[in-house]
């Protein structure tokens, strides 16, 4: 295995926590992440709009 000789950065959130709840993300598909974010972390007033956007992106 080759050695890495320069800095490597990576970011994958484990979960998103909001006032509405917690959406687990790590280890889930993009579709499941979108579903969790909308159902468990998004404000109820914007969930319908987010479902529409997710559908346009092929995530719903």
């Amino acid at each position: 295995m080759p050695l890495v000789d320069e800095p490597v950065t990576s970011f994958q959130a484990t979960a998103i926590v909001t006032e509405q709840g917690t959406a687990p993300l790590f280890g889930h598909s993009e579709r499941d992440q979108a579903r969790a974010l909308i159902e468990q972390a998004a404000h109820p007033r914007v969930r319908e709009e987010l479902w529409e956007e997710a559908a346009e992106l092929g995530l719903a």
Side-chain angles (χ1 to χ4, degrees), residues 31-60:
R31 181 176 291 221
D32 289 341
Q33 289 180 23
R35 177 176 287 118
L37 285 167
I38 295 168
E39 292 176 352
Q40 300 170 25
H43 192 281
R45 283 188 266 166
V46 298
R47 289 180 182 168
E48 185 175 329
E49 181 181 346
L50 291 172
W51 279 121
E52 291 171 6
E53 293 290 330
E56 288 178 20
L57 295 170
L59 296 172

Side-chain angles (χ1 to χ4, degrees), residues 8-22:
V8 177
T9 58
S10 176
F11 179 76
Q12 169 65 48
T14 301
I16 300 296
V17 179
T18 71
E19 294 171 344
Q20 306 306 315
T22 302

